[in-house]
Amino acid sequence: MRRWEGGDPGVSNQKTPTTMLLTPERRFHSFGYAARDFYHDLDPNEAKQWLYLEKFKMKLHTTGDLTMETDLMASNGKKVKALEIFAYALQYFKEQALKELSDQAGSDFENSDVRWVITVPAIWKQPAKQFMRQAAYQAGLASPENSDQLIIALEPEAASIYCRKLRLHQMMELSGKAVVNGYNASDTVGAGFAQAKEHIRRNRQSRTFLVENVIGEIWSELEEGDKYVVVDSGGGTVDLTVHQIRLPEGHLKELYKATGGPYGSLGVDFEFEKLLCKIFGEDFIEQFKIKRPAAWVDLMIAFESRKRAAAPDRTNPLNITLPFSFIDYYKKFRGHSVEHALRKSNVDFVKWSSQGMLRMSPDAMNALFKPTIDSIIEHLRDLFQKPEVATVKFLFLVGGFAEAPLLQQAVQAAFGDKCRIIIPQDVGLTILKGAVLFGLDPAVIKVRRSPLTYGVGVLNRYVEGKHPPDKLLVKDGTRWCTDVFDKFISADQSVALGELVKRSYTPAKPSQLVIVINIYSSESDNVSFITDPGVKKCGTLRLDLTSTSGPAVPARREIQTLMQFGDTEIKATAVDIASSKSVKVGIDFLNY
């Protein structure tokens, strides 16, 4: 849906900002541009009562101990539950999408007619994925009873699935090794976008997003066993995934577990904020954000559109308009003018222009990008050191931040000699389109790598000399070793889709109605005890035996538990062996 309300002059980006506005009574008011614009037009005193939230998706990644109770801070300093905000956002999307579908179909679309796919960064941990699912249930997209109606997809996987489907003319190649679309490589980068757009206009039919089993031309160059990297750089995070082709159907196998970090384009905004603090003083910027929140948002919008104009070969300066209330409030706050501050500050590259703008030299703008881009390149370098990655043929650069020419150039300069670097045309939408393909065929990714070692604590027979004495437990005359880590799956182990880990558990007492088993995780796979350093309790497995306990309960019951780790989420089922009835089981990484 491109006809999205709002949008900025001069920024034709198809992404809506992650912003939300709640009324003073904490009811949902609006999302995206609409939220931002309405918030601006409020009288400053009234605005303090409203709750405005922005860029809140990153909170799920940065909060180490995420729970259903985690708070977000609105710009007026008030706290709201993150779960509520995510649920509001998803509910808003749901209503928009169903309305659009109903309008197009000319008849009402029910929510039950839809399978929803939500994409999350691959570096998000289990709790964040489960949190997203809870929020979706609260928003009414699906329900615990009907959980298959919602699929959680990993962003780089979605991008990878889409990149497989691309025709060569829907790509922009940076590496100048080949002529693309009949243009030579030197003019692909600058003029390439304009020409490529023209080219696509001429080939109208290529605009339609073909979902088909024909494997694109780029694919015909890939043979079985070939590897490629997908670098997904968005607003908040960068994800790297390495996939390998398995023919004949072209299934994908994940060779290297998704890694990445919080190096998204928000890092550039943060650097801009640091620069403003350097010029005008941190105390002033802090106050300005609280006292004039709408004007602060205005300033960041002005920066956003200039940020998109940054390019490696740019020579003329970039002008950023300062909102009037910034200039005015600064004079009140400091007793001298903004112009004076700029002259006095020793920031070379930023001048004051007579039209009332901050004038940044291209070098100053490039310096704001540098820390974020350096982190990304650094991360990729580490990745290319790995033996599995040595022979990568292609590098696909996708995600919103991939549109930045500075990032494109840096990746090209660092890795252009190792592999071909390819940027899909509508790079910001790659993930969205890939998620649709994934929803149609969730089995396309056959093998994934487990990011952590998972297991439970068990008792084993005590073996003299093998087990440490402090783990000895004597019970009814039998010697047991406690806290033994029983591994379900090891970090970095390849797990096929649908591959099951089986374990049987016996209740300690025949009358027991619930078995709760703690699940532990560790980043290393060389663990023997749940008390080893780096082993964390990360969830619980809960078997509910109430439904299966009839009058004739056998003395020794055995509950067989099956866990599946190859999917994007971890799932579990269990069966009572004696009665072969299924046992209700919950696996929980969020509330334990």
Side-chain angles (χ1 to χ4, degrees):
M1 292 167 65
R2 287 168 196 258
R3 303 191 308 281
W4 212 228
E5 57 237 45
D8 295 321
V11 181
S12 62
N13 49 338
Q14 299 137 345
K15 290 259 174 114
T16 306
T18 315
T19 48
M20 185 185 294
L21 186 61
L22 304 183
T23 66
E25 299 77 47
R26 300 184 168 235
R27 290 207 181 82
F28 175 80
H29 179 275
S30 46
F31 182 86
Y33 295 112
R36 203 189 59 194
D37 297 345
F38 186 89
Y39 181 58
H40 277 241
D41 300 342
L42 288 170
D43 170 76
N45 289 322
E46 204 187 336
K48 290 194 189 98
Q49 305 308 309
W50 290 66
L51 291 93
Y52 181 71
L53 295 117
E54 55 180 354
K55 299 178 181 167
F56 49 82
K57 208 177 117 181
M58 260 317 261
K59 180 78 178 182
L60 295 198
H61 176 59
T62 49
T63 308
D65 48 353
L66 184 68
T67 67
M68 312 284 261
E69 303 302 316
T70 300
D71 285 319
L72 295 171
M73 178 93 83
S75 58
N76 63 0
K78 294 202 172 120
K79 288 185 167 170
V80 279
K81 292 269 171 281
L83 191 69
E84 222 157 273
I85 298 303
F86 279 80
Y88 275 144
L90 294 172
Q91 190 177 351
Y92 172 72
F93 299 151
K94 178 181 102 168
E95 285 160 11
Q96 294 287 321
L98 289 175
K99 185 170 160 298
E100 173 83 0
L101 285 170
S102 303
D103 289 354
Q104 287 192 18
S107 62
D108 271 358
F109 252 82
E110 298 293 315
N111 186 56
S112 56
D113 300 333
V114 180
R115 167 179 262 177
W116 297 96
V117 181
I118 296 180
T119 63
V120 303
I123 52 176
W124 276 15
K125 307 271 187 291
Q126 280 298 330
K129 295 179 195 171
Q130 191 179 333
F131 181 93
M132 241 356 193
R133 188 169 272 285
Q134 282 314 123
Y137 290 162
Q138 201 164 313
L141 269 69
S143 62
E145 298 71 50
N146 200 355
S147 57
D148 293 350
Q149 201 183 343
L150 167 68
I151 296 182
I152 295 213
L154 305 180
E155 287 165 6
E157 286 188 358
S160 174
I161 293 166
Y162 178 62
C163 288
R164 293 181 37 186
K165 295 274 182 198
L166 285 174
R167 296 267 174 283
L168 211 50
H169 64 241
Q170 292 166 302
M171 305 269 196
M172 254 190 55
E173 199 171 332
L174 285 182
S175 37
K177 285 188 185 159
V179 172
V180 184
N181 299 350
Y183 308 121
N184 67 11
S186 60
D187 47 49
T188 348
V189 179
F193 271 120
Q195 288 173 322
K197 282 208 175 81
E198 186 49 52
H199 183 79
I200 289 228
R201 244 206 315 283
R202 282 205 301 275
N203 298 354
R204 249 351 255 239
Q205 75 285 1
S206 70
R207 285 289 308 271
T208 48
F209 169 45
L210 299 169
V211 181
E212 55 189 344
N213 221 357
V214 184
I215 295 184
E217 293 163 30
I218 197 135
W219 218 240
S220 61
E221 296 186 30
L222 283 170
E223 293 122 38
E224 165 136 37
D226 277 350
K227 305 168 188 176
Y228 61 99
V229 187
V230 176
V231 180
D232 165 18
S233 47
T237 53
V238 169
D239 279 340
L240 315 174
T241 307
V242 184
H243 278 152
Q244 184 176 35
I245 320 301
R246 314 216 358 226
L247 295 175
E249 315 83 15
H251 286 312
L252 306 179
K253 171 179 178 183
E254 184 182 21
L255 279 193
Y256 179 75
K257 65 173 180 238
T259 61
Y263 318 127
S265 58
L266 295 181
V268 184
D269 301 354
F270 181 62
E271 289 297 320
F272 178 61
E273 197 177 314
K274 287 205 314 216
L275 179 72
L276 292 174
C277 289
K278 203 164 154 186
I279 300 171
F280 302 109
E282 205 168 322
D283 51 346
F284 165 70
I285 296 293
E286 280 310 307
Q287 274 306 302
F288 180 68
K289 281 162 85 170
I290 293 163
K291 292 282 193 292
R292 300 278 186 278
W296 171 255
V297 174
D298 254 345
L299 177 56
M300 290 316 270
I301 292 166
F303 174 67
E304 178 72 27
S305 79
R306 300 328 297 142
K307 183 168 96 177
R308 287 170 183 272
D313 44 6
R314 191 182 171 106
T315 48
N316 48 337
L318 297 125
N319 292 324
I320 295 166
T321 316
L322 286 179
F324 171 72
S325 68
F326 185 97
I327 297 169
D328 185 51
Y329 190 68
Y330 185 78
K331 199 161 174 62
K332 284 198 187 103
F333 189 88
R334 284 270 191 260
H336 59 237
S337 69
V338 162
E339 200 174 345
H340 178 82
L342 272 158
R343 267 207 311 275
K344 202 172 87 284
S345 86
N346 45 11
V347 178
D348 298 341
F349 305 120
V350 185
K351 301 274 177 280
W352 179 245
S353 83
S354 51
Q355 292 96 35
M357 297 187 180
L358 276 184
R359 171 169 287 177
M360 291 181 78
S361 74
D363 288 349
M365 182 56 105
N366 296 1
L368 298 183
F369 278 81
K370 193 172 166 18
T372 303
I373 289 180
D374 287 352
S375 303
I376 294 174
I377 297 294
E378 185 60 24
H379 211 85
L380 273 166
R381 271 197 215 293
D382 290 349
L383 181 69
F384 273 96
Q385 297 305 309
K386 306 256 186 293
E388 311 95 314
V389 187
T391 54
V392 161
K393 259 200 187 175
F394 293 100
L395 184 154
F396 292 103
L397 199 53
V398 304
F401 195 33
E403 290 164 10
L406 291 161
L407 176 61
Q408 295 178 1
Q409 190 209 32
V411 171
Q412 176 56 33
F415 307 107
D417 54 344
K418 294 194 176 60
C419 56
R420 286 170 59 186
I421 293 166
I422 288 173
I423 302 172
Q425 211 112 45
D426 40 6
V427 63
L429 297 177
T430 317
I431 291 163
L432 186 64
K433 293 178 170 182
V436 172
L437 290 170
F438 184 67
L440 292 167
D441 179 16
V444 56
I445 298 208
K446 285 282 188 274
V447 181
R448 290 186 174 84
R449 295 261 166 161
S450 173
L452 296 166
T453 298
Y454 289 100
V456 294
V458 295
L459 290 175
N460 277 355
R461 285 289 171 100
Y462 189 83
V463 179
E464 211 60 60
K466 176 183 164 201
H467 290 140
D470 59 335
K471 297 281 183 208
L472 173 63
L473 169 81
V474 180
K475 200 170 159 196
D476 303 333
T478 311
R479 295 158 62 90
W480 297 97
C481 176
T482 61
D483 296 340
V484 176
F485 190 103
D486 169 27
K487 252 187 255 182
F488 289 161
I489 194 152
S490 297
D492 239 5
Q493 181 180 337
S494 293
V495 198
L497 195 59
E499 194 175 305
L500 295 169
V501 176
K502 281 189 198 165
R503 290 288 187 277
S504 292
Y505 297 108
T506 305
K509 300 191 288 294
S511 58
Q512 200 173 330
L513 294 180
V514 173
I515 303 182
V516 176
I517 297 161
N518 291 332
I519 300 177
Y520 295 89
S521 68
S522 153
E523 298 202 351
S524 117
D525 62 349
N526 147 18
V527 278
S528 315
F529 296 100
I530 58 174
T531 50
D532 287 358
V535 176
K536 290 201 281 291
K537 178 175 168 189
C538 69
T540 56
L541 182 69
R542 192 188 154 90
L543 304 175
D544 178 353
L545 309 180
T546 44
S547 59
T548 53
S549 53
V553 175
R556 192 175 174 285
R557 298 171 65 189
E558 194 182 326
I559 312 295
Q560 191 180 59
T561 313
L562 300 171
M563 277 150 298
Q564 192 178 335
F565 290 88
D567 212 338
T568 56
E569 298 171 274
I570 296 175
K571 302 194 176 87
T573 51
V575 174
D576 185 331
I577 298 287
S579 64
S580 64
K581 278 193 183 160
S582 71
V583 175
K584 234 176 90 184
V585 57
I587 189 161
D588 195 334
F589 294 95
L590 206 52
N591 331 299
Y592 56 85

